Amino acid sequence: MNVLVIEDEKPAARRLTRMLEALNLNVLSQLNSVEEAITWFTNNTHPDLIFLDIQLSDGLSFEIFDAVTVTSAIIFTTAYDEYALQAFKLNSIDYLLKPIDDEELENAVLKFKKQNPVQADVKVNFDDIRKLLGINPVERDYKKRFTVKIGQHIKLINVEDIVCLYSENKGTYARTREQRDYLLDTTLELLEDELAPDQFFRVSRKYFVNIKAIEDIVSYTNSRLQVKLKSCSDQDIIVSRERVKDFKLWLS
């Protein structure tokens, strides 16, 4: 039986892998992040069973299933307390409480084998689990404004007034609806965790765009897309080919 371990704590991942191999299971890979898991599922045959931690290095593991359709059974490995685990019981999901016990792991695997599940799309209401565990992505505190220094003055720029953010000559800039460019004391890489993902998308290494500022989207060479923004005449805002699929999902 093929299984997959998705766990951001590498010692815990290695320990679980050894325990699974002792049960004669074939561990296909150890993955440490949401991004790594999405890439793996996109390019590989899905396993029979996934051992999945909730909190990964770059976000919640639920985000994996927002991006790809997974055809595997799931056993969560979690440090949440017994009260919070009602969320899993209500959704008929099996789970193992950390630190994982050898006997409990063996029983979980035997239970899975006895069920003889047929592979199917995962039909789990992850939004319900988020709520029951007290995890609400809407409540996350994303960046609301930037401060920039102009001469002896400090100006506040509200995020909703920004058309796009871009890098140029080793600097990071915000372009506003007034067609003004402001140099920011940050990088696009750092902004990936600070900007609300439903409002901003990084279309390329150079640009983040605000969904409310999009005026037109045009097919471009090599299966790419060109984005035209209000109050912005830049012609090189191109969605890179590897980001086109995610960009279309973001728009929907």
Side-chain angles (χ1 to χ4, degrees):
M1 187 171 73
N2 294 325
V3 300
L4 184 68
V5 173
I6 306 178
E7 162 69 67
D8 68 333
E9 296 179 6
K10 293 185 179 180
R14 288 193 293 267
R15 177 175 179 271
L16 178 56
T17 296
R18 289 194 298 269
M19 294 168 71
L20 292 168
E21 290 175 341
L23 296 173
N24 296 317
L25 301 181
N26 180 33
V27 180
L28 298 174
S29 186
Q30 296 176 19
L31 308 177
N32 307 120
S33 67
V34 172
E35 182 178 1
E36 190 177 6
I38 291 171
T39 301
W40 193 93
F41 282 117
T42 302
N43 296 288
N44 293 275
T45 301
H46 296 185
D48 302 294
L49 182 60
I50 305 167
F51 289 86
L52 181 65
D53 191 11
I54 293 177
Q55 184 68 57
L56 300 175
S57 59
D58 58 346
L60 298 173
S61 58
F62 307 137
E63 297 170 19
I64 297 169
F65 307 100
D66 292 335
V68 293
T69 300
V70 176
T71 56
S72 307
I74 301 170
I75 294 179
F76 279 96
T77 59
T78 174
Y80 279 93
D81 60 30
E82 292 290 347
Y83 177 76
L85 288 171
Q86 290 180 22
F88 295 100
K89 294 174 184 176
L90 291 172
N91 279 268
S92 301
I93 297 176
D94 208 351
Y95 64 88
L96 293 169
L97 199 60
K98 294 182 181 180
I100 296 172
D101 178 78
D102 291 80
E103 186 176 349
E104 290 180 355
L105 176 63
E106 185 174 4
N107 288 337
V109 171
L110 287 173
K111 178 182 175 183
F112 169 75
K113 288 181 176 179
K114 287 179 181 178
Q115 290 175 341
N116 190 26
V118 177
Q119 279 199 333
D121 295 352
V122 177
K123 302 295 185 182
V124 178
N125 192 326
F126 291 106
D127 287 335
D128 282 352
I129 295 177
R130 286 186 179 100
K131 293 173 185 175
L132 289 165
L133 291 178
I135 302 170
N136 189 349
V138 176
E139 294 176 355
R140 180 169 173 179
D141 190 21
Y142 290 106
K143 196 85 172 175
K144 294 181 176 63
R145 66 190 63 84
F146 291 93
T147 58
V148 295
K149 188 175 181 180
I150 304 175
Q152 300 300 313
H153 302 272
I154 293 178
K155 180 179 177 61
L156 294 177
I157 303 175
N158 292 323
V159 166
E160 57 264 29
D161 294 328
I162 294 175
V163 172
C164 66
L165 299 110
Y166 66 95
S167 62
E168 189 170 84
N169 297 325
K170 297 183 179 180
T172 301
Y173 298 85
R175 178 166 298 164
T176 65
R177 290 183 294 184
E178 291 75 29
Q179 301 187 44
R180 294 284 304 275
D181 294 304
Y182 296 95
L183 178 63
L184 305 178
D185 185 22
T186 187
T187 65
L188 293 187
E189 284 68 30
L190 291 175
L191 289 175
E192 287 195 18
D193 291 327
E194 296 180 357
L195 297 171
D198 61 339
Q199 186 175 2
F200 287 91
F201 186 88
R202 190 171 186 179
V203 297
S204 65
R205 293 181 63 185
K206 183 176 179 180
Y207 282 98
F208 269 102
V209 298
N210 186 340
I211 194 168
K212 295 180 180 179
I214 295 176
E215 188 171 53
D216 195 11
I217 302 170
V218 184
S219 296
Y220 202 68
T221 59
N222 295 325
S223 302
R224 296 176 295 171
L225 298 172
Q226 182 183 36
V227 180
K228 297 183 179 181
L229 303 176
K230 303 169 187 175
S231 306
C232 179
S233 60
D234 287 13
Q235 298 299 309
D236 60 341
I237 304 179
I238 308 298
V239 184
S240 57
R241 186 166 56 183
E242 64 272 14
R243 302 187 194 211
V244 166
K245 181 179 178 181
D246 290 339
F247 178 69
K248 289 180 178 179
L249 287 172
W250 176 69
L251 292 172
S252 61

